[in-house]
Short mmCIF file of all heavy atoms in Angstrom, two decimals:
data_model
loop_
_atom_site.label_atom_id
_atom_site.label_comp_id
_atom_site.label_asym_id
_atom_site.label_seq_id
_atom_site.Cartn_x
_atom_site.Cartn_y
_atom_site.Cartn_z
N PHE A 1424 76.62 47.65 -43.68
CA PHE A 1424 76.38 47.58 -45.12
C PHE A 1424 77.54 48.22 -45.88
O PHE A 1424 77.87 47.78 -47.00
CB PHE A 1424 75.06 48.26 -45.48
CG PHE A 1424 74.72 48.17 -46.94
CD1 PHE A 1424 74.42 46.94 -47.52
CD2 PHE A 1424 74.72 49.29 -47.74
CE1 PHE A 1424 74.12 46.86 -48.87
CE2 PHE A 1424 74.41 49.22 -49.08
CZ PHE A 1424 74.11 48.00 -49.65
N ALA A 1425 78.17 49.24 -45.30
CA ALA A 1425 79.37 49.82 -45.91
C ALA A 1425 80.49 48.79 -45.96
O ALA A 1425 81.23 48.70 -46.95
CB ALA A 1425 79.82 51.06 -45.13
N ASP A 1426 80.62 47.99 -44.90
CA ASP A 1426 81.60 46.90 -44.90
C ASP A 1426 81.29 45.90 -46.02
O ASP A 1426 82.19 45.45 -46.73
CB ASP A 1426 81.59 46.17 -43.55
CG ASP A 1426 82.10 47.04 -42.41
OD1 ASP A 1426 83.00 47.85 -42.64
OD2 ASP A 1426 81.59 46.88 -41.29
N ASN A 1427 80.00 45.55 -46.18
CA ASN A 1427 79.60 44.58 -47.20
C ASN A 1427 79.95 45.07 -48.61
O ASN A 1427 80.60 44.37 -49.38
CB ASN A 1427 78.10 44.30 -47.13
CG ASN A 1427 77.65 43.62 -45.85
OD1 ASN A 1427 76.54 43.84 -45.38
ND2 ASN A 1427 78.50 42.80 -45.28
N ILE A 1428 79.51 46.28 -48.91
CA ILE A 1428 79.73 46.83 -50.26
C ILE A 1428 81.21 47.15 -50.46
O ILE A 1428 81.76 46.92 -51.55
CB ILE A 1428 78.86 48.08 -50.48
CG1 ILE A 1428 77.38 47.68 -50.53
CG2 ILE A 1428 79.25 48.80 -51.77
CD1 ILE A 1428 77.02 46.70 -51.63
N GLY A 1429 81.85 47.66 -49.42
CA GLY A 1429 83.28 47.97 -49.52
C GLY A 1429 84.10 46.73 -49.82
O GLY A 1429 85.03 46.77 -50.64
N GLN A 1430 83.76 45.61 -49.18
CA GLN A 1430 84.49 44.37 -49.44
C GLN A 1430 84.26 43.89 -50.87
O GLN A 1430 85.18 43.37 -51.52
CB GLN A 1430 84.06 43.29 -48.44
CG GLN A 1430 84.91 42.03 -48.47
CD GLN A 1430 86.38 42.33 -48.19
OE1 GLN A 1430 86.73 43.17 -47.38
NE2 GLN A 1430 87.26 41.65 -48.93
N LYS A 1431 83.05 44.07 -51.37
CA LYS A 1431 82.76 43.73 -52.76
C LYS A 1431 83.62 44.57 -53.71
O LYS A 1431 84.11 44.07 -54.73
CB LYS A 1431 81.28 43.95 -53.06
CG LYS A 1431 80.35 42.90 -52.48
CD LYS A 1431 80.49 41.60 -53.24
CE LYS A 1431 79.48 40.58 -52.78
NZ LYS A 1431 79.68 39.28 -53.48
N MET A 1432 83.82 45.83 -53.36
CA MET A 1432 84.62 46.71 -54.20
C MET A 1432 86.09 46.29 -54.17
O MET A 1432 86.78 46.33 -55.19
CB MET A 1432 84.45 48.16 -53.74
CG MET A 1432 83.04 48.68 -53.91
SD MET A 1432 82.84 50.39 -53.38
CE MET A 1432 83.60 51.24 -54.75
N VAL A 1433 86.57 45.90 -53.00
CA VAL A 1433 87.94 45.40 -52.89
C VAL A 1433 88.12 44.18 -53.78
O VAL A 1433 89.08 44.07 -54.55
CB VAL A 1433 88.28 45.06 -51.42
CG1 VAL A 1433 89.61 44.32 -51.34
CG2 VAL A 1433 88.32 46.33 -50.57
N GLN A 1434 87.18 43.24 -53.69
CA GLN A 1434 87.25 42.00 -54.47
C GLN A 1434 87.18 42.26 -55.96
O GLN A 1434 87.76 41.51 -56.76
CB GLN A 1434 86.13 41.06 -54.04
CG GLN A 1434 86.24 40.56 -52.61
CD GLN A 1434 84.99 39.86 -52.13
OE1 GLN A 1434 84.01 39.69 -52.88
NE2 GLN A 1434 85.00 39.42 -50.87
N ALA A 1435 86.49 43.34 -56.34
CA ALA A 1435 86.33 43.68 -57.76
C ALA A 1435 87.47 44.55 -58.29
O ALA A 1435 87.43 44.96 -59.45
CB ALA A 1435 84.99 44.37 -57.98
N GLY A 1436 88.45 44.85 -57.44
CA GLY A 1436 89.64 45.55 -57.91
C GLY A 1436 89.57 47.05 -57.94
O GLY A 1436 90.41 47.71 -58.58
N PHE A 1437 88.59 47.65 -57.23
CA PHE A 1437 88.52 49.11 -57.17
C PHE A 1437 89.60 49.65 -56.23
O PHE A 1437 90.06 48.94 -55.32
CB PHE A 1437 87.15 49.56 -56.67
CG PHE A 1437 86.05 49.41 -57.69
CD1 PHE A 1437 85.29 48.26 -57.75
CD2 PHE A 1437 85.77 50.43 -58.59
CE1 PHE A 1437 84.28 48.10 -58.68
CE2 PHE A 1437 84.75 50.29 -59.53
CZ PHE A 1437 84.01 49.13 -59.58
N ASP A 1438 90.00 50.90 -56.43
CA ASP A 1438 90.93 51.58 -55.54
C ASP A 1438 90.10 52.17 -54.40
O ASP A 1438 89.48 53.23 -54.54
CB ASP A 1438 91.66 52.69 -56.31
CG ASP A 1438 92.79 53.32 -55.49
OD1 ASP A 1438 93.02 52.88 -54.35
OD2 ASP A 1438 93.42 54.26 -56.01
N VAL A 1439 90.05 51.47 -53.27
CA VAL A 1439 89.07 51.78 -52.23
C VAL A 1439 89.69 51.66 -50.84
O VAL A 1439 90.56 50.83 -50.60
CB VAL A 1439 87.83 50.86 -52.38
CG1 VAL A 1439 88.21 49.41 -52.24
CG2 VAL A 1439 86.72 51.23 -51.42
N CYS A 1440 89.22 52.51 -49.93
CA CYS A 1440 89.57 52.44 -48.52
C CYS A 1440 88.26 52.28 -47.75
O CYS A 1440 87.35 53.10 -47.89
CB CYS A 1440 90.30 53.71 -48.08
SG CYS A 1440 90.65 53.82 -46.31
N VAL A 1441 88.17 51.22 -46.93
CA VAL A 1441 86.91 50.87 -46.28
C VAL A 1441 87.03 51.01 -44.77
O VAL A 1441 87.87 50.36 -44.13
CB VAL A 1441 86.48 49.43 -46.64
CG1 VAL A 1441 85.13 49.10 -46.01
CG2 VAL A 1441 86.44 49.24 -48.14
N ASN A 1442 86.21 51.87 -44.19
CA ASN A 1442 86.05 52.01 -42.73
C ASN A 1442 87.37 51.92 -41.96
O ASN A 1442 87.60 50.97 -41.19
CB ASN A 1442 85.07 50.96 -42.21
CG ASN A 1442 83.63 51.43 -42.26
OD1 ASN A 1442 83.36 52.63 -42.34
ND2 ASN A 1442 82.70 50.52 -42.19
N PRO A 1443 88.24 52.94 -42.10
CA PRO A 1443 89.53 52.90 -41.41
C PRO A 1443 89.43 53.04 -39.88
O PRO A 1443 90.44 52.85 -39.19
CB PRO A 1443 90.28 54.08 -42.02
CG PRO A 1443 89.21 55.00 -42.51
CD PRO A 1443 88.10 54.11 -42.97
N PHE A 1444 88.24 53.34 -39.34
CA PHE A 1444 88.01 53.34 -37.91
C PHE A 1444 87.15 52.14 -37.49
O PHE A 1444 86.75 52.04 -36.34
CB PHE A 1444 87.33 54.62 -37.45
CG PHE A 1444 88.12 55.87 -37.72
CD1 PHE A 1444 87.83 56.69 -38.80
CD2 PHE A 1444 89.19 56.22 -36.91
CE1 PHE A 1444 88.56 57.82 -39.07
CE2 PHE A 1444 89.93 57.37 -37.16
CZ PHE A 1444 89.62 58.17 -38.24
N GLY A 1445 86.85 51.27 -38.44
CA GLY A 1445 85.91 50.20 -38.18
C GLY A 1445 84.49 50.67 -38.48
O GLY A 1445 84.26 51.80 -38.91
N THR A 1446 83.53 49.82 -38.23
CA THR A 1446 82.13 50.10 -38.54
C THR A 1446 81.63 51.30 -37.73
O THR A 1446 81.83 51.38 -36.52
CB THR A 1446 81.26 48.87 -38.22
OG1 THR A 1446 81.85 47.72 -38.83
CG2 THR A 1446 79.86 49.05 -38.74
N LEU A 1447 80.96 52.22 -38.43
CA LEU A 1447 80.38 53.41 -37.80
C LEU A 1447 78.89 53.44 -38.08
O LEU A 1447 78.47 53.16 -39.21
CB LEU A 1447 81.03 54.69 -38.36
CG LEU A 1447 82.56 54.80 -38.20
CD1 LEU A 1447 83.09 56.00 -38.98
CD2 LEU A 1447 82.93 54.92 -36.73
N TYR A 1448 78.10 53.80 -37.09
CA TYR A 1448 76.66 53.64 -37.22
C TYR A 1448 75.89 54.95 -37.36
O TYR A 1448 74.95 55.03 -38.14
CB TYR A 1448 76.12 52.87 -36.01
CG TYR A 1448 76.74 51.51 -35.86
CD1 TYR A 1448 77.79 51.29 -34.97
CD2 TYR A 1448 76.29 50.43 -36.62
CE1 TYR A 1448 78.38 50.04 -34.85
CE2 TYR A 1448 76.86 49.17 -36.49
CZ TYR A 1448 77.91 48.98 -35.61
OH TYR A 1448 78.50 47.75 -35.49
N ASN A 1449 76.26 55.97 -36.61
CA ASN A 1449 75.45 57.19 -36.60
C ASN A 1449 76.09 58.30 -37.42
O ASN A 1449 77.31 58.32 -37.62
CB ASN A 1449 75.18 57.64 -35.16
CG ASN A 1449 76.42 58.20 -34.49
OD1 ASN A 1449 76.83 59.34 -34.75
ND2 ASN A 1449 77.07 57.41 -33.63
N PRO A 1450 75.30 59.26 -37.92
CA PRO A 1450 75.82 60.30 -38.81
C PRO A 1450 76.92 61.16 -38.19
O PRO A 1450 77.89 61.51 -38.87
CB PRO A 1450 74.58 61.16 -39.11
CG PRO A 1450 73.42 60.26 -38.86
CD PRO A 1450 73.83 59.35 -37.75
N LEU A 1451 76.80 61.51 -36.90
CA LEU A 1451 77.79 62.40 -36.31
C LEU A 1451 79.15 61.71 -36.19
O LEU A 1451 80.20 62.33 -36.41
CB LEU A 1451 77.32 62.89 -34.94
CG LEU A 1451 78.20 63.98 -34.31
CD1 LEU A 1451 78.33 65.19 -35.24
CD2 LEU A 1451 77.65 64.42 -32.95
N SER A 1452 79.17 60.44 -35.86
CA SER A 1452 80.44 59.72 -35.78
C SER A 1452 81.12 59.64 -37.15
O SER A 1452 82.35 59.69 -37.26
CB SER A 1452 80.22 58.31 -35.21
OG SER A 1452 79.87 58.37 -33.84
N ILE A 1453 80.33 59.54 -38.20
CA ILE A 1453 80.89 59.53 -39.55
C ILE A 1453 81.49 60.89 -39.89
O ILE A 1453 82.60 60.97 -40.44
CB ILE A 1453 79.81 59.13 -40.58
CG1 ILE A 1453 79.39 57.67 -40.34
CG2 ILE A 1453 80.31 59.32 -42.01
CD1 ILE A 1453 78.19 57.23 -41.15
N LEU A 1454 80.80 61.97 -39.52
CA LEU A 1454 81.36 63.31 -39.73
C LEU A 1454 82.65 63.48 -38.96
O LEU A 1454 83.65 63.99 -39.50
CB LEU A 1454 80.34 64.37 -39.31
CG LEU A 1454 80.83 65.83 -39.29
CD1 LEU A 1454 81.34 66.25 -40.66
CD2 LEU A 1454 79.74 66.77 -38.80
N LYS A 1455 82.68 63.07 -37.70
CA LYS A 1455 83.89 63.21 -36.88
C LYS A 1455 85.05 62.39 -37.45
O LYS A 1455 86.21 62.80 -37.42
CB LYS A 1455 83.61 62.79 -35.43
CG LYS A 1455 82.63 63.71 -34.69
CD LYS A 1455 83.16 65.13 -34.61
CE LYS A 1455 82.21 66.03 -33.85
NZ LYS A 1455 82.70 67.44 -33.84
N ALA A 1456 84.72 61.20 -37.99
CA ALA A 1456 85.75 60.37 -38.61
C ALA A 1456 86.35 61.07 -39.82
O ALA A 1456 87.58 61.07 -40.03
CB ALA A 1456 85.17 59.02 -39.01
N LEU A 1457 85.51 61.71 -40.63
CA LEU A 1457 86.00 62.44 -41.80
C LEU A 1457 86.89 63.61 -41.38
O LEU A 1457 87.92 63.88 -42.00
CB LEU A 1457 84.83 62.93 -42.64
CG LEU A 1457 84.20 61.89 -43.56
CD1 LEU A 1457 82.84 62.36 -44.07
CD2 LEU A 1457 85.12 61.58 -44.74
N GLU A 1458 86.48 64.30 -40.32
CA GLU A 1458 87.31 65.40 -39.82
C GLU A 1458 88.68 64.90 -39.37
O GLU A 1458 89.71 65.55 -39.61
CB GLU A 1458 86.58 66.12 -38.67
CG GLU A 1458 85.35 66.90 -39.11
CD GLU A 1458 84.55 67.46 -37.96
OE1 GLU A 1458 84.79 67.06 -36.79
OE2 GLU A 1458 83.66 68.30 -38.21
#
C-alpha cells in the first residue's frame, strides 16, 4: 500500500522517495531500514 500511495504521490508531483529498499512488510524491518 505504501508503493500504491507513493506512486500516486510521484504522479502528482510531490517531492517523495518511495521504498528505497523495496516493499517492507513488518514493523521491525521498517525501523532497521530507517536506521
Side-chain angles (χ1 to χ4, degrees):
F1424 182 67
D1426 293 326
N1427 295 148
I1428 293 300
Q1430 190 58 38
K1431 285 288 186 183
M1432 296 180 76
V1433 170
Q1434 295 169 2
F1437 286 92
D1438 188 1
V1439 60
C1440 175
V1441 183
N1442 272 341
F1444 299 101
T1446 310
L1447 302 171
Y1448 301 98
N1449 72 77
L1451 188 57
S1452 290
I1453 294 171
L1454 172 58
K1455 294 300 181 183
L1457 280 165
E1458 291 173 347

